[in-house]
Amino acid sequence: MTTEATSGILSSDRREDREQIIELLTKAYWMEIETVMSYITNSINPDGVRAQEIIESLKADVQEELGHAVAFGNRIKELYGVVPGSLDFAAEQSYLQPPEEQTDIVHVIKGVIAAESGAIEHYNKIIEFTEGRDPVTQDMVIAILRDEEQHRRLFEGFLREYKAEGLA
Amino acid sequence: MTTEATSGILSSDRREDREQIIELLTKAYWMEIETVMSYITNSINPDGVRAQEIIESLKADVQEELGHAVAFGNRIKELYGVVPGSLDFAAEQSYLQPPEEQTDIVHVIKGVIAAESGAIEHYNKIIEFTEGRDPVTQDMVIAILRDEEQHRRLFEGFLREYKAEGLA
Amino acid sequence: MTTEATSGILSSDRREDREQIIELLTKAYWMEIETVMSYITNSINPDGVRAQEIIESLKADVQEELGHAVAFGNRIKELYGVVPGSLDFAAEQSYLQPPEEQTDIVHVIKGVIAAESGAIEHYNKIIEFTEGRDPVTQDMVIAILRDEEQHRRLFEGFLREYKAEGLA
Amino acid sequence: MTTEATSGILSSDRREDREQIIELLTKAYWMEIETVMSYITNSINPDGVRAQEIIESLKADVQEELGHAVAFGNRIKELYGVVPGSLDFAAEQSYLQPPEEQTDIVHVIKGVIAAESGAIEHYNKIIEFTEGRDPVTQDMVIAILRDEEQHRRLFEGFLREYKAEGLA
Amino acid sequence: MTTEATSGILSSDRREDREQIIELLTKAYWMEIETVMSYITNSINPDGVRAQEIIESLKADVQEELGHAVAFGNRIKELYGVVPGSLDFAAEQSYLQPPEEQTDIVHVIKGVIAAESGAIEHYNKIIEFTEGRDPVTQDMVIAILRDEEQHRRLFEGFLREYKAEGLA
Amino acid sequence: MTTEATSGILSSDRREDREQIIELLTKAYWMEIETVMSYITNSINPDGVRAQEIIESLKADVQEELGHAVAFGNRIKELYGVVPGSLDFAAEQSYLQPPEEQTDIVHVIKGVIAAESGAIEHYNKIIEFTEGRDPVTQDMVIAILRDEEQHRRLFEGFLREYKAEGLA
Amino acid sequence: MTTEATSGILSSDRREDREQIIELLTKAYWMEIETVMSYITNSINPDGVRAQEIIESLKADVQEELGHAVAFGNRIKELYGVVPGSLDFAAEQSYLQPPEEQTDIVHVIKGVIAAESGAIEHYNKIIEFTEGRDPVTQDMVIAILRDEEQHRRLFEGFLREYKAEGLA
Amino acid sequence: MTTEATSGILSSDRREDREQIIELLTKAYWMEIETVMSYITNSINPDGVRAQEIIESLKADVQEELGHAVAFGNRIKELYGVVPGSLDFAAEQSYLQPPEEQTDIVHVIKGVIAAESGAIEHYNKIIEFTEGRDPVTQDMVIAILRDEEQHRRLFEGFLREYKAEGLA
Amino acid sequence: MTTEATSGILSSDRREDREQIIELLTKAYWMEIETVMSYITNSINPDGVRAQEIIESLKADVQEELGHAVAFGNRIKELYGVVPGSLDFAAEQSYLQPPEEQTDIVHVIKGVIAAESGAIEHYNKIIEFTEGRDPVTQDMVIAILRDEEQHRRLFEGFLREYKAEGLA
Amino acid sequence: MTTEATSGILSSDRREDREQIIELLTKAYWMEIETVMSYITNSINPDGVRAQEIIESLKADVQEELGHAVAFGNRIKELYGVVPGSLDFAAEQSYLQPPEEQTDIVHVIKGVIAAESGAIEHYNKIIEFTEGRDPVTQDMVIAILRDEEQHRRLFEGFLREYKAEGLA
Amino acid sequence: MTTEATSGILSSDRREDREQIIELLTKAYWMEIETVMSYITNSINPDGVRAQEIIESLKADVQEELGHAVAFGNRIKELYGVVPGSLDFAAEQSYLQPPEEQTDIVHVIKGVIAAESGAIEHYNKIIEFTEGRDPVTQDMVIAILRDEEQHRRLFEGFLREYKAEGLA
Amino acid sequence: MTTEATSGILSSDRREDREQIIELLTKAYWMEIETVMSYITNSINPDGVRAQEIIESLKADVQEELGHAVAFGNRIKELYGVVPGSLDFAAEQSYLQPPEEQTDIVHVIKGVIAAESGAIEHYNKIIEFTEGRDPVTQDMVIAILRDEEQHRRLFEGFLREYKAEGLA
């Protein structure tokens, strides 16, 4: 009775590949966790009628990004890795900190676009690396990539409007 | 604070690829819109007990195909394209016009198979072109392709039955 | 055993009336189908925070207008008519094509009002014609008329706001 | 404190009109009750694959027709009438009795069309009589009329198919 | 390949038993159908606050008794019988006709108890006859018997109250 | 691009008609608002077992009458009118004030009948006036009229019972 | 068998306290009722894209405020008081009447803040008075207070935005 | 790594307070358990139309009181106590035993009021004792107190009606 | 108009049988009520990870056993008996009292098995006695018996595991 | 503390009976498992419009038959038996293998009837054997028997139709 | 009117590829079917508290694996293959037969891991083969692969625990 | 028109109080955010059957704790504070980092207890401070405190079990 897979990414001779993928996924995991934090902050702070649209959008996104984080965490586990603890967290999204003025929506919009751009770039890297190596991870990341692309596209539209009005 | 992705299909140096994909998606968009029209027509006109099975199948499909159209439209938007207006529409599905006799179900069955065959062919082309270029679009089109393959397979079975009975 | 109604719009001596009603309903059917197309287009293309309100409104309306189209189609069938095929479609809503600039929301708003105005006028005509002739069709069209009146009223309010701000 | 309406069909000087409407509604009530019986019978007895479509259609209709009967009964009550008891029932749908052979679907289809034709004729009479007299009853009957028209149209289509195959 | 059961009530040598059971079930079927009629009537006609409790109870029972009728009909079909048509119906529930005065609730309560008593007696007969002969029918009828016993018990309580108040 | 309807009640040359309809609808709006208030009061105050039936009925009605008010308000808006503010409110339902004794249910029942009678009369007036002028408003009011007729009929039955017992 | 509580706010020697609380609750009850009226009015009248946000917010609030009113009413009843009738109503929210111009959203926003401020002040008074006297009322009012604080906070944000744009 | 709370009711130096609270909660627990028993009994036994209102009310209350019992049990556990076993149970609600005559509803109503009065008194004691000592328990008991107050108020209304009719 | 059943367990000459069945059902009723108490206790007290499985199982069972008790009570009522009051309760499940140590799960498991064994034995007795006498009661008890058999089987498995580990 | 039932099928002196029942149930278990397999196969393979009815019917049946298998397995466990492993499986339904031609529906229909006939015969045997021995198993099997009888009756009707058309 | 796809895996010149894929899918189909059987068996047989976690996990998995089997079957059909009948089944999962002792959970855990490992290996083979040949099949198998990887990972964790405790 | 509350915590002369409360709430906010992170980590990493219970518990808790964080954030906003950004985050839960060995459940249990103890202590502090100052905040924190107390009590039970087994 064999209990070891002898082909695919989970076979014992593919350890090195797995470790590289785990490293990439761990970075992705932290990006999503920080995004959760930033989106909570920015879905509570802003003032104003027009801000409501942003607030609703970010609130819904908190659950979505949390789901991404959990997905990354689960995949790390499946690849025999360990999900890191809170002491390993290091904040990077300087562009999503609360602005001086809570009615400065443009600051928030630009911050979201920056966050999504970073994610898109990193996920493209994972897709490239897993090509032919780990189709399950690749498939999962493509689906997440789409969410991020859609989200950025939406906020680019917001920014364009403010630019058209000379406010950004 | 960068707000531009520097890798992947959305990066600025991939504009040409994007344009070709948009053209392919636009054609797909119109195919689905026309299919919506044709399936409404053919889910109302036919008479008879046996026709009910076809009618039910096409009615459910109206929503599915509309969903495909919207998916193509959304992807066009994400790739910085513009979804076309109704003046650009040109009907092509001569084979799905209402038949002389509303009990002529074979006409409808053949028309559906023809429509699905056209879609399958075109979607295979998109899958091929996006390979290694745009995994998100490819993934989306593969999922849609499966729907069309299943639907055609079902109607081929219908046709086979009528043939067996010497009616087609 | 009689299987023919001898009174009401479905009785055999009311054929001419039925044909005129079918013609009116067929025109209504095509108006709704084109509106479906136009609303999909205009619920995907626009950019900006304020556009979200329009987008949401039109998205919800796609299903509503599709429902109207199907209702018209079903009534045509009940009156012994035939729902036309896609080759008969001729686009007319020049005012709902995508604008030059995707942030030009006023263009969309005006287009929607124009579309609804056309529908309202045509449906009033049907209501008038069916008075005392076909209460079932009349009842159905009154209900649809209300939807269109409400929708136009909403967009008139949107337009008034933009006018007040000197943008329309 | 007045507790009497002084205008509309419920005012005391409109008693005669009310009585005629109640008579018409009582007949409609019994038609629906018998249809419930007949549809139960004919949704259980028939044999065969093709019969399933008929059976499903009639099963769903049992609830719909029961709903009509209750609607007629309620309106009788609102107009100060009394819903009759089972001793007043007299069967009339000779055409919907179980056929000799349980695979004789054409018998069932013709019976349903006959029943619906009778209902349509009677309901047109009610609509005519209530015109300008009792808009609430008229509105209710128009809605029920539509259900019956749709149902007959469906079974006419079934019949047409069997005719086309030389079986009816 | 045998397609005949050789034991149990459906085997070919048990025809006589089946016929007797079908006769018993047919009577049960008509009892339930008449009860449906009577309960509709008596759930619309009565006036008064206290009548509401009765009305609610009977309204809910219409669906339950209809379910019983359909269950009897289905079992008749399974035993190779034929569900009868509306011409075979003969009203028997003289005690459930509308009373002189619509506030005469005691009349309704007594009528319901009489109807349930008749059903209970007949169903006990079926249970007895099917013992050891047809466990499936027996099981089904025991379940229905319970519903009727509960319903009668409830109305006996109602009657007792009116008696206590010297009204019955 | 026309954005004006040229036929129907919304066309510019029908202003006077619209104004009269708005006046009628405004009165209806206030009637419903006061009914909401009165029904809240009378669904909390009464004591006793039998009162529960009344309380449940009025509680459910609060939502229904609120819906009517909103419907009237929306139609006022669609006809280019303005829904009035709370300063315009003037109470009229003297007959629905809390009685001396909270167990005096007859007072409540009579009050409800009086309120519904007033509404029925007014709505008949609207139906008459809108005939041939504004089918959408007419259709809406007919549906509301039915609700009020049913409600009054129910409370008339309650009253009759109390009368039969010599309590009213 | 004692049927009287001998401690707590419901005991017979606490009558005076109860009466003062009832007076406070009655005022709160009327405030909520008027707010319901004002929010219906202001959720129908305004025009424009941006107004939709306000409209949605107020529409949802109608149900919430109605719930508050009913809660106040129920508590009055529990404390052996009587909920007042519509003749006792006196409008006070002059600041929430419809503005001259239906696109004047700032008027609505200021009106809502004024209404909420009044409520917050009054509810703080109730919380203070019931401290140590009636924990159940206190708990209920704290929960309602929170709703009003949140609502005012939201509209303050709206106002701040309009101020930032120089429109308020 | 400390795993002990050093402030609040759960800290180790607050043991005595906890024990007194546990004793109070245990008594409350048994009161609710007996009420569950009594309400099951009294929601099955009574006969009559008017009894239905009481039966429905008590049936719904069985679940509510069971929920209270579980809440008390859980809080005992959280305070490091032990929920007692069935041998500790001692019946006290002599006033809620089945009456001689099952139509004697007044007996049931008085019994319920007595049971609720006992509970209200005891819960007021707990609220007083936990003031400033254990806000979590206090908050929980205030919520339960409200349920009991509402329930008693309802049955007081029932009693008043029977008194008004000279039956209690 | 007969209102008495003349056959079956409810007929007047079967009084003695009914009384014996009521006695058996009353004992069953008390067994279930005590089990409800015992399962609440034992679903709150135990500590530990493994205990969670037991706790979940017993929590779900509280509702199930309560349902059994109500079923027994209802059947007592239907057979013209009276459900007893709380003063008649006498605890017997000494084996389900809280153990010395809250981590002593084996004590709980053995207690549950003992309780279920008692129930199974008693219910077999009822099934035997009702055979041929009262099929409705028998049917109901068989269904309940199955629940108890399944539950005991589950806890026997739990016990076996602890035995295997030398802990029981 | 006894933990052993001393009466009923689970008592220790009834071991032999239990073993025979387990043997019968094990055979039933395998019959259902094979039916699951066969129905999956035959709900995917067939082609044609008319086949859809069969396919739908078998698809729904896969879940039902799986439920039966699990029920048999659970009862085996409750009777202290062991559910067998896949190595014990031996296919027997030669008549439900895929036909030569996928449009040969008659082959499928006959196969289903044969499978159901075998099941009906075997289940009658179990019902007979458990009579007076194990009412719980008997009750469960009667319920399952009914499902199989209904299913066979349905397919007999299908076959009759094909015979009537000279196709079977 | 062409009704044949000329590109993609369904085109006529790709027959050989299709046949190889069908063979791979057929093996996968049987693996899943056997797993369904094995998981039913192993979700009923085991005894003990800790076994519940395994049982729950396998029970939920029965539906999941059945879904996989149906997915494989459907794809076989779409590729113009035939789903095999039960006579073709040959058991292979010797490691998932019921163990000697029903508390031997380690046996079950190891069996599940072995089954999942076999599946993972086979599905990797399919993914490899379909690369660039049949993206739809590949996509479907990647999704199923993920399910199996997750399931194996979970049971590896279970095994590790038992090993840590020296039980495996 | 006043738009400022003049009493309660939101009045302008209570600024200092507000600031202290905001500071306390900000600390609470960060505690909950870190707990979210730690619970995600510890609901994915652990291996083993027994760990499943912990994992399920923590998974459910992630949503609960996130809800607490959002509640704290919203209250900060209502008090005119600003929710901090991710750069302000500083990890403190050293005791909830992933252990050396993923089967070391005791490490996780102790970590959870430590985290909850910290929270309980801090929340008691807030409740004390807000007493008489800000009843809304106090009420909210009492509710959250209960959640934490319950959660700690559960994990204390887990720990006790492991201690009893000599594993902690």
Side-chain angles (χ1 to χ4, degrees), chain E:
Chain E
M1 173 159 103
T2 28
T3 60
E4 295 261 329
T6 59
S7 74
I9 188 68
L10 297 181
S11 61
S12 47
D13 56 335
R14 301 283 300 284
R15 180 192 213 104
E16 215 168 321
D17 274 7
R18 277 206 304 276
E19 268 164 19
Q20 276 187 276
I21 297 172
I22 286 170
E23 203 173 323
L24 288 162
L25 291 172
T26 303
K27 183 172 174 200
Y29 173 77
W30 282 126
M31 287 169 99
E32 297 286 353
I33 287 288
E34 186 171 10
T35 303
V36 167
M37 268 191 244
S38 297
Y39 285 7
I40 291 175
T41 301
N42 286 295
S43 71
I44 295 178
N45 280 329
D47 278 325
V49 177
R50 220 190 278 190
Q52 295 312 299
E53 205 65 61
I54 311 289
I55 283 174
E56 281 316 306
S57 181
L58 291 178
K59 242 188 217 164
D61 235 51
V62 164
Q63 283 305 323
E64 197 178 309
E65 306 292 353
L66 189 67
H68 293 170
V70 170
F72 284 124
N74 281 328
R75 190 66 194 159
I76 288 168
K77 176 75 180 172
E78 287 161 35
L79 297 171
Y80 300 106
V82 174
V83 185
S86 58
L87 292 181
D88 285 15
F89 175 80
E92 299 196 341
Q93 302 179 344
S94 53
Y95 39 86
L96 269 170
Q97 304 310 304
E100 280 309 290
E101 202 53 55
Q102 299 313 320
T103 51
D104 182 355
I105 300 297
V106 171
H107 175 91
V108 176
I109 293 172
K110 282 187 177 162
V112 170
I113 293 171
E116 300 290 351
S117 296
I120 288 168
E121 203 150 337
H122 185 58
Y123 300 166
N124 268 305
K125 216 175 288 170
I126 303 180
I127 291 166
E128 211 173 295
F129 183 81
T130 51
E131 172 67 30
R133 277 191 179 91
D134 179 355
V136 169
T137 297
Q138 192 186 37
D139 218 54
M140 182 188 94
V141 178
I142 290 172
I144 294 176
L145 176 58
R146 176 151 214 206
D147 290 345
E148 309 299 356
E149 286 185 9
Q150 285 181 321
H151 205 222
R152 192 178 66 166
R153 191 65 190 77
L154 181 70
F155 275 74
E156 284 176 355
F158 291 169
L159 188 60
R160 191 175 302 184
E161 183 194 38
Y162 279 89
K163 276 188 178 146
E165 302 185 12
L167 298 166

Side-chain angles (χ1 to χ4, degrees), chain H residues 1 6 75 77-78 80, chain L residues 95 121 149-150 153 156:
Chain H
M1 174 159 103
T6 58
R75 190 64 193 159
K77 178 73 182 172
E78 287 162 36
Y80 301 107
Chain L
Y95 39 85
E121 203 149 337
E149 286 186 9
Q150 284 181 320
R153 191 65 190 77
E156 283 177 357

Side-chain angles (χ1 to χ4, degrees), chain A residues 1-11 71 74-81 131 134-136 139-140, chain K residues 95 107 110-111 113-115 117 120-122 124-125 127 131 139 142-143 145-146 149-150 152-153 156 160:
Chain A
M1 173 161 102
T2 30
T3 59
E4 296 261 328
T6 58
S7 75
I9 188 69
L10 296 181
S11 61
N74 281 328
R75 190 66 194 158
I76 289 169
K77 177 74 180 172
E78 286 161 36
L79 297 172
Y80 302 106
E131 172 66 32
D134 179 357
V136 170
D139 217 53
M140 181 188 93
Chain K
Y95 41 83
H107 175 91
K110 282 186 175 164
I113 294 172
S117 295
I120 288 168
E121 203 149 338
H122 185 59
N124 269 306
K125 217 174 289 171
I127 291 166
E131 172 65 31
D139 217 52
I142 289 172
L145 176 58
R146 173 148 215 208
E149 286 186 9
Q150 284 181 320
R152 194 177 67 167
R153 192 63 189 79
E156 283 176 357
R160 192 175 299 184

Side-chain angles (χ1 to χ4, degrees), chain D residues 15-47:
Chain D
R15 181 193 213 103
E16 213 168 324
D17 273 7
R18 277 206 304 276
E19 268 163 21
Q20 276 187 276
I21 296 172
I22 287 170
E23 202 173 323
L24 288 162
L25 290 173
T26 303
K27 183 171 174 199
Y29 173 76
W30 283 126
M31 285 169 102
E32 296 286 354
I33 288 288
E34 186 170 10
T35 302
V36 167
M37 268 192 245
S38 296
Y39 285 7
I40 292 176
T41 301
N42 287 296
S43 72
I44 297 178
N45 280 328
D47 279 322

Side-chain angles (χ1 to χ4, degrees), chain G residues 9-22:
Chain G
I9 189 66
L10 298 181
S11 61
S12 49
D13 56 335
R14 301 284 301 284
R15 179 191 213 107
E16 213 168 324
D17 274 6
R18 277 206 305 274
E19 267 164 21
Q20 276 188 276
I21 296 172
I22 286 169

